[in-house]
Structures are given as structure tokens and as C-alpha cells.
Amino acid sequence: MKIATVGVHVLDTHVIGIESIPASSDGQLVETIRWSPAGTAGGTAVVLARLGAEVRSHGAVGDDPIADALLALLAKEGVDVAGLVRKPAHQTSSSVLPVRPNGDRPAWHCIGANGAFTLDDLDLASLDDRTHVHLGGPEFLGGEAAGQLLAHARAAGATTSLDILAPGDPDMLAWIADALPHTDFLLPNDEQVLGFTGAASLVDGAKALVAGGAGCVAVTQGARGALVVTADEVVEVPAYAVDVVDTTGCGDAFSAGFLRGLSLGRDLRGAAELGCATAAQVAGGLGTDAGSYDLAAVEAFAASAATKG
């Protein structure tokens, strides 16, 4: 699998042990503070690399120490960062995530250079050696530009996928609608599907997105697992039980596992199972790059869980 992950790249700062925000100028000791690469392109790139794919990232970062740290973390995971351009007038996108004991994490986020990335920053011909092109955050490009990028990738023989960062809203769906007919796999969460479509059920909402042009819609449902819908098939896969540390990046991890499963020849159910098992590895650690999981470890985890079940 030779994949280009295009779009949103973020440096996350996780703060573990947050019960509340201190009042006034008071301080509070916490358990852990760590960085991790993240974003609908960056986080997915890390997990894909761990699962054995050859990954090259494309997007925008600033010319600042945050970018230096983010690029170093991506490169350490084996991600080719040559496609990430520096934008001196913008800071690198970053988030601070205070993680509660149950794994929930509100966030402070700076869009930064992600908002300045355009097709002018990407030589479309550089995608022509890829077997797959994954676009994370098409809302920053807009549907017309996103559609142009994905259409080019398809014409060059690549499979395409799309992951949306923004909350579900009909106006947002209209903004990116031009990209859907060029999307083989759309990877939203359940709230996005219902918000985009106004459907009464998740299946109906996913079918509406298929009718809008997406070839397949693979929906994450948090602790309920995943739902995969095409014009001819509906598949539901449960989540794996895990002691949750931090849910940051679980959606990106599912996307990576699902796409990697497809590249290995798995059917939709098998790919979704690998996606859920990969998400479980991330939920049990701190950030997408926590621990030392790889494809063999994720497959062993899934096999063990199936045996216990």
C-alpha cells in the first residue's frame, strides 16, 4: 500500500489527570503531558505507517518550533514528510487536550497553517505513484478543489478516501458535495452523518451520502463500533472492549485500519474489524503514536478478543 495522506496535520498536547480547570491563576499537578502527531491526515498517516503502509504526507505547517516537533514525530514513525510545505506567515496547527479520567477530552485548537493549504501547494502529479489517496479535511479546500484532487488521483489509478473534520451540518455537506462523486470511501462519524443529512437513522443517513456520490460510507460510532454502507450492503461491526485512556485519534485510527484492511484484500466486514481493533489500540494509550502496536499486534489483539468472545 503506497498512500498519500493529504490535508490536516496537527501537533496535539495531551494533558492527563484533569478533573477541572484551576480557578484564577492557581496551578494543578497532572499525571502526564506529551505531544503526538494528529489530524485527519497526520494522525491517519502515523497509524497507516505502523500498519505497514508506505506513507507520504501532504499539507501545510508553519515555520516554527511546533512544525519542527511535528515533522520530527512524523518522520520518526516512517512517514515521508517531503510533501508538507512551510507557511512562514502562519503558525503550525496545534491543539491542547485536557483528558478526563474517562477518556473524554475537550480541546483548545488553533487552525493555523491548515487553513492556508491550497492546491497550489500540491503538485498533483506527485500523487501518480500512489495506490491510494486519503484527503483529511476537505472543508479547508472546498468541494471543487477537493473534487479536482480526488478526480486526478482516481484517473491515475488510485483508490480515494475522504475524512471530514468539521461537525455535521447541511451547509458543510453542500460545501464539500463536489468531492463526493470522486470518493470511494467516506469516513465520517455518526454525529456527522446525522447532522449532514438530517436522517432519522444512521443507516438512512449513510445511504443518503451514498446517493450523494460516495461509493461506500464507513461510519464510526464510538463505543458501538462501526457501520459500513454501500448501495447494496449494510455491515455493522462492534467495538472491542478496552480500558480507555484517551479517545483522541480513535477516528483516524479506524480510518487507517479500515483502509489498510481493504488494501490487504479484506472484505468490508474484515476491514471494519481491523479498523475497530486499531482504534482500540489507540484508545488504550495516549495519542495515535502511543505504545508500539503494528499490524501483527493489532491482528493478534483482534484474534484474542474474538476467541474470548
Side-chain angles (χ1 to χ4, degrees):
M1 186 183 193
K2 298 173 68 176
I3 183 167
T5 52
V6 184
V8 173
H9 291 74
V10 181
L11 182 69
D12 278 355
T13 300
H14 309 261
V15 185
I16 298 296
I18 297 294
E19 294 285 354
S20 62
I21 304 300
S24 187
S25 297
D26 293 345
Q28 177 185 338
L29 294 177
V30 296
E31 297 171 21
T32 304
I33 299 174
R34 81 181 294 266
W35 287 341
S36 68
T40 44
T44 305
V46 167
V47 183
L48 280 164
R50 288 200 170 190
L51 297 180
E54 179 187 311
V55 188
R56 185 172 65 236
S57 266
H58 298 264
V61 296
D63 190 11
D64 54 18
I66 300 176
D68 296 340
L70 177 56
L71 294 174
L73 289 169
L74 288 168
K76 182 181 179 182
E77 295 291 340
V79 176
D80 181 349
V81 298
L84 287 166
V85 299
R86 296 267 193 167
K87 296 277 190 176
H90 300 269
Q91 81 148 77
T92 303
S93 180
S94 186
S95 295
V96 176
L97 306 166
V99 183
R100 297 187 177 116
N102 67 353
D104 289 345
R105 74 287 183 263
W108 292 283
H109 178 67
C110 177
I111 292 174
N114 285 324
F117 179 63
T118 72
L119 285 190
D120 291 337
D121 298 311
L122 174 62
D123 177 8
L124 291 178
S126 68
L127 305 178
D128 293 351
D129 67 336
R130 301 289 93 180
T131 61
H132 193 109
V133 173
H134 174 73
L135 175 58
E139 58 269 34
F140 290 104
L141 290 176
E144 183 177 353
Q148 180 182 343
L149 186 157
L150 296 176
H152 177 95
R154 265 186 167 180
T159 301
T160 61
S161 57
L162 191 68
D163 188 3
I164 304 159
L165 189 62
D169 180 273
D171 290 337
M172 179 56 66
L173 182 63
W175 173 243
I176 62 168
D178 287 349
L180 295 186
H182 309 289
T183 301
D184 293 314
F185 298 97
L186 180 63
L187 300 159
N189 62 41
D190 48 358
E191 293 180 354
Q192 287 173 323
V193 169
L194 296 177
F196 288 146
T197 64
S201 74
L202 201 55
V203 171
D204 288 344
K207 286 183 175 179
L209 293 171
V210 170
C216 172
V217 179
V219 189
T220 54
Q221 306 180 83
R224 297 187 301 280
L227 176 75
V228 185
V229 176
T230 68
D232 305 311
E233 193 172 3
V234 175
V235 175
E236 191 155 15
V237 173
Y240 291 88
V242 65
D243 292 330
V244 174
V245 174
D246 177 19
T247 57
T248 306
C250 285
D252 300 329
F254 172 83
S255 295
F258 178 74
L259 297 174
R260 185 69 175 117
L262 293 171
S263 79
L264 294 169
R266 297 192 178 192
D267 61 12
L268 294 177
R269 180 175 296 279
E273 288 172 346
L274 184 60
C276 287
T278 307
Q281 309 307 299
V282 171
L286 190 54
T288 52
D289 61 341
S292 58
Y293 63 88
D294 57 13
L295 180 60
V298 175
E299 290 179 327
F301 166 81
S304 175
T307 301
K308 292 177 182 177

